[in-house]
Amino acid sequence: MELTFLIDNNALVGTRLLAEAGLSMLIEADGKRVLFDAGYSDAFLANARCLGADMDHLDWIALSHGHSDHTWGLGMLLRHYDMTPCGDRTRAGLLAHPKALGTKRHRGIPEFGSLVAEDKLASYFDLQLTAEPVRLTDSLFALGEIERVTDFEKPAPLGERLEDGAFVPDDIPDDTALAYVTDTGLVVIAGCAHAGICNTVEQARRVTGVDNVRAVLGGFHLQKARPERLGPTADYLAALDLEGLWCCHCTDLAAKISLAAKCPVLEVGSGMKLVF
């Protein structure tokens, strides 16, 4: 598997690529090409052009959840499709939780979720909306709705979602992630890990049936996290004896410092490629 960070909050020095407070990755595995999230804007497309990454021949688009910093770039991808002729463009599948594309609001923002409605997306992609795990390639799994089992990663509502005609506190049931199975263990790929990064790893173990974890990467949603959350998280991840921990996007500096005291935390930025 080759994984390229198309967008992260940071850009690697010397790359001349864009960064924004969002996340997007291109994953190539088993002869398939998967776009995991699309950031806020067209920045992931601009970086893809600079990197020579083809956005016209995708097999899957997988969404980690419905927040704006992971879905708003979809509108820009549709604009790219409409404005850039490509006779053999692939009609990709679009995988998301059934609640990922609904209306969300937060801090007075009228739409904190996807700006492109389900019916519009269905005109361009083959929609698969499910809370169940899905096998995207021979070795790459989408984890479905993540079971929340740890006692230190308590659900914390973020804004509200529209459900049955009324707004309710959004505990982000649509949060999910990916896992890639290698000969020596799992690579767990999180988008934002609103369900908790340790819960996410446990879900990956259950879905794949593989216990050993080689690497964990992506957004960990550790911002202004209290010691009672950071300490057990660092202990859990340290116990995995990872080759690398690439925490990015929604993981603040204090969390990275805390994790780095016990885990092999490595740098991440737009344009970085990892091969497993």
Side-chain angles (χ1 to χ4, degrees):
M1 177 186 73
E2 180 177 276
L3 183 150
T4 303
F5 286 87
L6 296 179
I7 274 292
D8 178 41
N9 295 40
N10 303 305
L12 297 181
V13 174
T15 60
R16 298 180 178 87
L17 296 176
L18 301 174
E20 68 179 14
L23 191 65
S24 178
M25 307 175 198
L26 178 64
I27 299 167
E28 299 177 80
D30 306 318
K32 304 290 186 181
R33 307 179 76 250
V34 180
L35 179 68
F36 187 44
D37 290 342
Y40 261 126
S41 69
D42 63 348
F44 81 102
L45 285 171
N47 286 348
R49 284 192 293 271
C50 289
L51 294 167
D54 178 11
M55 291 290 102
D56 291 315
H57 300 93
L58 299 170
D59 294 286
W60 284 100
I61 297 171
L63 299 180
S64 67
H65 63 302
H67 283 163
S68 55
D69 50 341
H70 297 256
T71 65
W72 280 11
L74 287 177
M76 300 302 175
L77 182 60
L78 301 190
R79 180 176 294 184
H80 163 74
Y81 286 171
D82 285 346
M83 298 179 67
T84 311
C86 179
D88 65 342
R89 179 175 290 126
T90 305
R91 183 179 170 91
L94 192 152
L95 178 67
H97 188 281
K99 296 181 180 179
L101 299 175
T103 293
K104 299 171 182 282
R105 66 185 187 186
H106 179 52
R107 294 179 179 172
I109 302 171
E111 185 52 81
F112 189 57
S114 174
L115 291 177
V116 185
E118 217 174 282
D119 60 336
K120 303 293 185 184
L121 289 170
S123 299
Y124 292 83
F125 308 112
D126 294 326
L127 261 59
Q128 186 168 345
L129 304 181
T130 178
E132 298 302 314
V134 173
R135 196 168 193 159
L136 300 177
T137 77
D138 290 344
S139 305
L140 184 67
F141 294 77
L143 300 182
E145 186 168 332
I146 293 173
E147 187 177 353
R148 306 184 184 197
V149 297
T150 64
D151 59 2
F152 55 88
E153 294 177 308
K154 298 186 184 303
L158 183 62
E160 299 172 304
R161 70 176 183 271
L162 188 63
E163 195 161 294
D164 298 326
F167 280 99
V168 298
D170 190 8
D171 56 355
I172 318 168
D174 49 311
D175 180 75
T176 189
L178 307 179
Y180 179 70
V181 179
T182 77
D183 291 340
T184 55
L186 291 177
V187 178
V188 179
I189 306 164
C192 239
H194 286 281
I197 191 60
C198 305
N199 281 327
T200 301
V201 172
E202 287 302 302
Q203 179 82 0
R205 285 169 151 172
R206 283 191 297 273
V207 169
T208 64
V210 177
D211 189 60
N212 187 53
V213 182
R214 287 181 55 184
V216 181
L217 59 95
F220 290 6
H221 199 64
L222 292 174
Q223 300 177 66
K224 300 180 181 178
R226 299 180 64 83
E228 53 265 33
R229 171 75 175 269
L230 280 178
T233 298
D235 289 340
Y236 174 93
L237 294 171
L240 298 176
D241 193 24
L242 299 168
E243 295 174 16
L245 186 68
W246 288 270
C247 45
C248 63
H249 179 45
C250 52
T251 313
D252 67 19
L253 179 59
K256 291 178 181 179
I257 291 171
S258 177
L259 293 174
K262 299 179 180 180
C263 304
V265 172
L266 298 167
E267 188 176 13
V268 181
S270 298
M272 191 181 76
K273 292 189 178 185
L274 298 173
V275 178
F276 295 98

